[in-house]
Amino acid sequence: MRNFYIVVLSSLFLFSCSGDDNTVTPILDTVPSIPSLVFPTNNLVCTNFNLEFDWSRVVDGDGDSIQYTIDIATDNTFTPVLFTATTTETVNTFTLEKGTTYFWRVKATDSAGNDSGYSDIQTFFTEPDAGVNTIPNAPVVLSPSLGELVSGTNITLDWDATDEDNDPLTFDLYFGDTNPPVLVSENINVSTFDVIVSANTTYYWRVVVKDDKQGATIGQIWNFRTE
């Protein structure tokens, strides 16, 4: 009889300790990271009213596709939102009014419907007397040329820019291995800049040309690849 009790108790112990192989572990969908605002930079004054807005690309941890919502307002509470757009790109162009203070922000939404938080709010101004000043011409790439394959670890970025009013010019340089590139230097007074690069990488860069009357022209994004 004693052996019988031992067998019964052992069986109960085995059943009580067995796991449920049919248990379903829920899959949690992650929220996208918050985009960073690239251009226009905070407190910028510009006379280019057909303005291209740039922000950083975010990657969803689950591999979901991402779209972005950009809001522009004349009040930092965004009440009301003056301009808005939803896009899968990281740039969008709006035509703005002269002599106005604007605020802007961006958020990301993945294909599962999860929203990131909004980015930090940045503000900028449009010049009321833009007609008095001719904004600088768009910069022209000199070296490396668009799409060029280059060698070495030290590269000199070289560009040219002119202004019909012959105003003195300064430059903001955006550079990096992401598109759009990030701001690396502001108010450069020469049209060259040395960068350190890695092999077998595509780099993107852009120049914003500014005159001394608060006029600004945004250059296109150029790229080159290293060997």
Side-chain angles (χ1 to χ4, degrees):
M1 180 65 70
R2 180 179 179 183
N3 291 336
F4 173 76
Y5 285 134
I6 293 173
V7 170
V8 171
L9 290 174
S10 299
S11 299
L12 290 173
F13 177 77
L14 290 173
F15 279 113
S16 65
C17 293
S18 62
D20 185 358
D21 294 335
N22 295 322
T23 301
V24 177
T25 301
I27 300 175
L28 300 178
D29 196 23
T30 59
V31 174
S33 56
I34 298 174
S36 298
L37 305 186
V38 176
F39 191 89
T41 52
N42 207 33
N43 296 318
L44 179 70
V45 181
C46 59
T47 57
N48 186 354
F49 304 118
N50 192 33
L51 196 59
E52 181 182 86
F53 292 77
D54 295 357
W55 55 90
S56 66
R57 186 176 301 278
V58 303
V59 177
D60 185 78
D62 306 305
D64 297 331
S65 58
I66 298 290
Q67 63 180 12
Y68 305 92
T69 300
I70 174 174
D71 295 335
I72 303 172
T74 53
D75 185 294
N76 61 5
T77 65
F78 291 84
T79 308
V81 172
L82 194 61
F83 301 97
T84 188
T86 300
T87 175
T88 57
E89 304 297 325
T90 58
V91 297
N92 206 84
T93 301
F94 296 91
T95 301
L96 307 176
E97 297 294 329
K98 300 177 182 180
T100 305
T101 300
Y102 289 102
F103 300 85
W104 71 295
R105 64 185 183 182
V106 176
K107 71 174 180 178
T109 304
D110 66 20
S111 54
N114 298 305
D115 291 333
S116 73
Y118 274 104
S119 65
D120 291 337
I121 297 170
Q122 290 191 172
T123 184
F124 64 96
F125 315 92
T126 52
E127 177 64 38
D129 298 320
V132 175
N133 178 49
T134 302
I135 63 173
N137 295 316
V140 177
V141 62
L142 297 180
S143 178
S145 60
L146 186 61
E148 182 179 351
L149 182 65
V150 301
S151 59
T153 57
N154 292 278
I155 303 296
T156 298
L157 306 179
D158 192 359
W159 64 92
D160 187 35
T162 57
D163 183 84
E164 293 184 11
D165 303 322
N166 293 318
D167 295 328
L169 300 177
T170 57
F171 310 99
D172 293 345
L173 178 70
Y174 294 76
F175 175 79
D177 57 4
T178 59
N179 188 8
V182 297
L183 179 67
V184 295
S185 188
E186 290 184 281
N187 300 318
I188 308 168
N189 57 14
V190 293
S191 58
T192 62
F193 193 87
D194 293 332
V195 293
I196 298 175
V197 296
S198 301
N200 195 31
T201 304
T202 298
Y203 287 95
Y204 302 88
W205 60 298
R206 152 181 279 166
V207 174
V208 176
V209 187
K210 301 184 294 186
D211 64 22
D212 62 347
K213 298 181 177 64
Q214 299 179 328
T217 298
I218 309 164
Q220 73 176 85
I221 294 177
W222 301 314
N223 68 81
F224 63 91
R225 184 168 181 82
T226 56
E227 291 183 324

